[in-house]
Amino acid sequence: MEKTKEIVKVVNLHAGYTYPILKGVNTIFYKNEIKFIMGESGGGKSTLLKAIIGLVKVYQGEIYINGENFLEASYEKRKNMLKRIGFMFQSGALISSYPIWENVALPLIINTDFPIDLIKDIVYSKLKLVKLEKAFYKLPGELSGGMIKRAAIARAIIDEPEILFCDEPTAGLDPLTAAELDDIILSLKETLKIGIIIVSHEIESIIRIGDKILFLQKGKDVFDGTLKEAKEKGPEELKRYFELIK
Ligand SMILES: Nc1ncnc2c1ncn2[C@@H]1O[C@H](COP(=O)(O)OP(=O)(O)O)[C@@H](O)[C@H]1O
Ligand SMILES: [Mg+2]
């Protein structure tokens, strides 16, 4: 196993909306590993990912991205720090009148002055990573649910982040398509050496591709460790997931 590098560190994070949902979360996201975030529905899993990229109110605590204090950074600096993180939106969030390549290219079109041929080359290489290069000129409406998710992943990695956030990537997919997406996510870890953080309670996926689990309960990290540790000494609510597939 290659040496891991710490990319995101969350310390005693209290965050939420009109009141805190997260009430003291601590965790570290490393490169080159897949960590699943689990916990009850409405428990703050999505809120945690959104807090790390500055989309929800932080009441207390610290967030470090590559060792730098995110919450104390200037707007410009934050923007640069966030380039380390790719975010795959749950719905895919593709624009229906744009072909796949332009949807995937959007972050580059907006943030760089790269010539269009270079942008197309970069898009093609990312689409290849998610096995979607054949859909380059297709419209989102011509793609299946699994392909839409893959296009959303290609866009999330277009700017070469070190960490990829996926919020319930396999929700609504049939088991075979979900397994295909798992394989693609695993191959991204292996080829790009990025860290991948996945909100999901699909225990089959977790066992197939997960390295670690962060389990949230009542706004706190009640477990944060390897799958082996989760099975052996995780909280009962977490151990029960593993019993489902025995
Ligand atoms: N934009 C919002 N404004 C106010 N409350 C919200 C908002 N988004 C989520 N919540 C609330 O925060 C809590 C945690 O939500 P969320 O992080 O989405 O949970 P999870 O992803 O674990 O299912 C829920 O009670 C939800 O209703
Ligand atoms: Mg959620």
Side-chain angles (χ1 to χ4, degrees):
M1 182 111 165
E2 239 164 273
K3 206 172 163 289
T4 53
K5 179 180 163 211
E6 176 183 315
I7 306 296
V8 176
K9 182 175 179 180
V10 171
V11 182
N12 188 31
L13 185 69
H14 293 243
Y17 307 92
T18 50
Y19 56 91
I21 302 289
L22 305 176
K23 299 172 191 126
V25 172
N26 298 276
T27 192
I28 298 177
F29 298 157
Y30 294 94
K31 261 188 98 152
N32 205 24
E33 70 178 28
I34 296 179
K35 181 179 264 189
F36 278 86
I37 303 180
M38 301 174 70
E40 62 204 341
S41 179
K45 303 179 298 294
S46 300
T47 301
L48 175 59
L49 296 186
K50 287 184 200 154
I52 294 168
I53 59 170
L55 294 181
V56 305
K57 185 173 158 71
V58 171
Y59 287 83
Q60 195 186 319
E62 286 132 58
I63 297 166
Y64 297 92
I65 299 179
N66 273 343
E68 295 187 291
N69 191 317
F70 179 68
L71 297 170
E72 286 177 2
S74 65
Y75 175 77
E76 278 307 313
K77 183 131 194 230
R78 275 187 181 207
K79 256 175 56 179
N80 267 320
M81 290 163 92
L82 287 179
K83 286 190 184 148
R84 308 281 182 179
I85 301 174
F87 202 109
M88 179 209 175
F89 292 95
Q90 197 171 338
S91 59
L94 302 183
I95 300 170
S96 59
S97 57
Y98 284 14
I100 294 307
W101 82 265
E102 277 192 77
N103 267 291
V104 173
L106 272 179
L108 294 181
I109 294 171
I110 294 167
N111 296 318
T112 74
D113 47 18
F114 292 171
I116 203 70
D117 286 346
L118 174 61
I119 290 181
K120 279 184 153 183
D121 284 350
I122 298 171
V123 169
Y124 187 83
S125 71
K126 304 302 176 201
L127 285 175
K128 222 167 144 66
L129 284 174
V130 298
K131 299 196 172 73
L132 204 60
E133 70 276 17
K134 290 200 180 82
F136 197 85
Y137 290 109
K138 290 216 156 82
L139 288 169
E142 298 175 87
L143 266 52
S144 66
M147 291 162 97
I148 293 281
K149 305 274 185 176
R150 274 143 60 188
I153 291 179
R155 183 167 65 192
I157 59 169
I158 194 76
D159 221 1
E160 310 203 335
E162 292 181 286
I163 290 275
L164 170 64
F165 288 173
C166 300
D167 198 347
E168 308 215 17
T170 55
L173 298 181
D174 66 81
L176 288 180
T177 308
E180 267 170 34
L181 199 70
D182 287 346
D183 288 344
I184 283 172
I185 289 173
L186 184 61
S187 77
L188 289 180
K189 178 186 91 164
E190 284 164 358
T191 52
L192 304 176
K193 312 286 179 210
I194 58 177
I196 304 175
I197 311 304
I198 306 173
V199 173
S200 172
H201 50 256
E202 308 280 347
I203 193 67
E204 290 86 357
S205 296
I206 294 167
I207 288 170
R208 200 180 301 124
I209 66 169
D211 297 304
K212 291 192 180 156
I213 294 174
L214 168 66
F215 192 61
L216 300 180
Q217 256 184 334
K218 300 196 166 70
K220 290 188 171 32
D221 53 296
V222 293
F223 176 84
D224 193 4
T226 63
L227 263 71
K228 187 165 176 283
E229 289 163 344
K231 270 184 255 181
E232 287 167 4
K233 49 183 193 234
E236 277 311 311
E237 294 84 352
L238 178 54
K239 281 201 223 162
R240 252 181 249 145
Y241 278 91
F242 291 96
E243 283 155 19
L244 287 176
I245 42 99
K246 268 181 193 157

